[in-house]
Amino acid sequence: MSNPSSISEEISEAKNLFPSVRVITATHSFLIATYERSPYTRMKMTLTFPEGYPSHSLIVNIDQDAVVPPGLKKKLEKEMNSLASQKAERAQFDQIRYVWEHMVSFIDGNLF
């Protein structure tokens, strides 16, 4: 599999790798997606693509609601933004894949 060479290709690849993540909106500037293990275990996030992406890391923002309390929101945003920052050092269109992988494994592996 070759690496994506644009934001739209990266989004398509991520959707194929994670069919259970539902993309609500996707543009060249941002992406809004949700992942739900159950009605009580779900997460909605916005990924913002800054000028200079993928050399600059995408910005992860998790929506807070009754399912995702403030402390968990802050912890996950810190982890995912750090992961995206590490991946930006390689300047490849693969940050969505790694952020979604972290989100899905966290939700599937933890009871909350």
Side-chain angles (χ1 to χ4, degrees), residues 62-77:
I62 297 171
D63 290 3
Q64 184 178 330
D65 61 13
V67 176
V68 182
L72 181 58
K73 173 188 181 321
K74 186 175 180 178
K75 173 192 182 302
L76 288 172
E77 283 178 345

Side-chain angles (χ1 to χ4, degrees), residues 84-97:
S85 181
Q86 291 170 15
K87 298 303 176 186
E89 293 174 6
R90 297 184 339 195
Q92 293 181 354
F93 289 94
D94 61 0
Q95 295 176 41
I96 297 172
R97 174 183 359 150

Side-chain angles (χ1 to χ4, degrees), residues 16-81:
N16 288 333
L17 290 171
F18 299 96
S20 55
V21 175
R22 188 169 64 94
V23 174
I24 298 168
T25 304
T27 70
H28 70 280
S29 302
F30 68 93
L31 179 145
I32 300 172
T34 62
Y35 178 67
E36 182 174 309
R37 185 180 71 206
S38 75
Y40 305 103
T41 310
R42 68 181 180 282
M43 189 177 300
K44 181 179 178 184
M45 68 168 47
T46 301
L47 305 177
T48 304
F49 305 105
E51 188 70 35
Y53 181 81
S55 298
H56 296 89
S57 65
L58 58 82
I59 301 162
V60 180
N61 186 20
I62 297 171
D63 290 3
Q64 184 178 330
D65 61 13
V67 176
V68 182
L72 181 58
K73 173 188 181 321
K74 186 175 180 178
K75 173 192 182 302
L76 288 172
E77 283 178 345
K78 182 178 178 181
E79 289 175 359
M80 290 187 210
N81 280 308

